[in-house]
Amino acid sequence: MIIPEKTGRRDFVGTLAKASLLATVPGLNPVFSPAQPVTVGQVMELILKTIPEAPFPKTVDTLKSGNRDQKVTGIVSTMFATTDVIEQTARLGANFIIVHEPTFYNHLDETDWLKNDEVFRKKYGLLEKNGIAVWRFHDYWHTHRPDGIRMGVVTALGWEKYMDPKNPRMITLPAAIPLKQLIAHAKEKLGIAMMRVVGDPAQSCQRVLLMPGASGGRSHIVALQQDKPDVILCGEISEWETVEYVRDARQQGQKLSLGVLGHIMSEAPGMQWLVPWLQPKLPDVKITYIDSKNPFLYL
């Protein structure tokens, strides 16, 4: 078979309502009336009209289940199409999940190697049983201007007005604060239970390099060289790359710190931000964000 919690997010919902006005693309008005049901393919096409140079000749953003012609009864936005998210989607009466990350445990969502796997078969069977289409929205959402994932996390952190319009990954806070306070702010606003940090908790931080997701060590280090921040807040790391660079820089006397947000918690707000961005374009379709949650326990 081949098939292409205490958390600041409550505050985030109110902020997102305001963000929706800013995020609506000028000149792009809703095109579907209540008497004209929209299909999965039409929703995809509507979104791609807002993405520079879309459609891409090569992308992971393909349908993972369902088909383009099915009528949409409701849309769910989420980070991962987990079993729980699928079940919640079905209970809502929705049948289209827009997801940021893979559904079947590998970047390309290749499934030949899983065709006899019980976990895969049950998950795919649940999608089929409920007639749910899943579309990955990764490459396109990052290519949108502004980057939808970045805007989600910046909005959740309350840092929109501190973002450099010419270099959106750089945040310059109005006043320097201790690293410990900066980390506490990120944890509260993003709902993060625990963060790994390299640096002095008392270090003064004003220039923040924000790189959610898994940009990679080389990308982090090049950005550190170019932007000269006080601290980098990133999503996912390899422990032999950015971490060791920051440690060496500190041992050589540089004032530089690192905070690891985690891949999931650094990007999930971007899928929450998708709801107020997309809803004005599809006013007659209910669009819901479902938090796929952080799967880790901290023992």
Side-chain angles (χ1 to χ4, degrees):
M1 180 188 303
I2 301 177
I3 51 176
E5 281 144 76
K6 170 185 158 184
T7 167
R9 292 190 188 176
R10 291 192 181 96
D11 299 332
F12 184 33
V13 172
T15 308
L16 283 173
K18 300 175 185 177
S20 66
L21 298 176
L22 299 175
T24 304
V25 176
L28 183 61
N29 298 315
V31 295
F32 304 106
S33 68
Q36 186 182 11
V38 62
T39 66
V40 165
Q42 287 172 321
V43 173
M44 293 165 63
E45 290 168 6
L46 179 67
I47 291 172
L48 293 189
K49 287 179 181 178
T50 73
I51 310 298
E53 300 183 16
F56 301 159
K58 185 177 181 180
T59 178
V60 296
D61 292 358
T62 59
L63 278 173
K64 312 305 178 181
S65 67
N67 65 79
R68 295 176 60 91
D69 296 327
Q70 67 188 72
K71 298 293 194 297
V72 174
T73 60
I75 298 173
V76 162
S77 172
T78 191
M79 185 71 172
F80 287 96
T82 65
T83 297
D84 181 61
V85 167
I86 295 167
E87 290 173 342
Q88 288 190 60
T89 299
R91 288 196 293 271
L92 286 172
N95 68 343
F96 186 19
I97 299 175
I98 299 177
V99 66
H100 189 60
E101 296 295 10
T103 299
F104 299 122
Y105 325 119
N106 65 99
H107 185 56
L108 298 179
D109 280 300
E110 295 170 331
T111 59
D112 278 354
W113 64 290
L114 291 167
K115 61 184 178 182
N116 296 319
D117 181 84
E118 181 180 4
V119 174
F120 162 74
R121 290 171 66 88
K122 285 186 176 180
K123 185 174 190 178
Y124 189 69
L126 187 63
L127 290 166
E128 285 193 316
K129 175 184 175 183
N130 291 286
I132 294 174
V134 174
W135 179 44
R136 189 172 180 192
F137 190 43
H138 180 275
D139 299 349
Y140 289 126
W141 202 209
H142 280 299
T143 306
H144 182 269
R145 292 295 175 261
D147 180 321
I149 294 296
R150 182 180 305 282
M151 283 307 304
V153 69
V154 169
T155 301
L157 289 165
W159 289 349
E160 305 98 306
K161 60 186 175 182
Y162 309 136
M163 185 169 60
D164 184 343
K166 295 181 179 179
N167 182 8
R169 68 192 181 197
M170 277 303 303
I171 305 293
T172 302
L173 301 176
I177 59 175
L179 175 63
K180 184 177 181 179
Q181 183 179 338
L182 182 78
I183 296 300
H185 176 82
K187 288 171 64 178
E188 178 186 359
K189 294 301 183 181
L190 300 181
I192 298 172
M194 184 178 295
M195 282 180 58
R196 291 181 292 171
V197 177
V198 177
D200 178 357
Q203 179 195 312
S204 176
C205 298
Q206 186 169 17
R207 288 176 52 78
V208 181
L209 175 61
L210 183 62
M211 299 185 72
S215 303
R218 181 170 295 192
S219 179
H220 292 159
I221 293 166
V222 168
L224 287 169
Q225 293 170 342
Q226 293 174 345
D227 298 332
K228 306 298 183 185
D230 301 315
V231 58
I232 173 174
L233 294 182
C234 63
E236 185 174 334
I237 58 166
S238 295
E239 294 185 11
W240 60 89
E241 297 177 339
T242 311
V243 174
E244 288 306 305
Y245 180 88
V246 171
R247 177 155 65 172
D248 282 343
R250 290 187 57 77
Q251 291 177 352
Q252 293 170 18
Q254 291 190 34
K255 187 187 77 168
L256 176 63
S257 292
L258 163 71
V260 183
L261 302 168
H263 192 133
I264 296 168
M265 306 310 285
S266 73
E267 289 202 321
M271 295 310 288
Q272 193 168 2
W273 197 75
L274 175 68
V275 175
W277 177 84
L278 183 57
Q279 189 67 80
K281 302 168 179 54
L282 295 165
D284 302 309
V285 179
K286 184 178 180 181
I287 306 175
T288 305
Y289 172 74
I290 295 179
D291 186 359
S292 58
K293 303 186 185 306
N294 183 351
F296 296 105
L297 298 175
Y298 299 93
L299 302 178

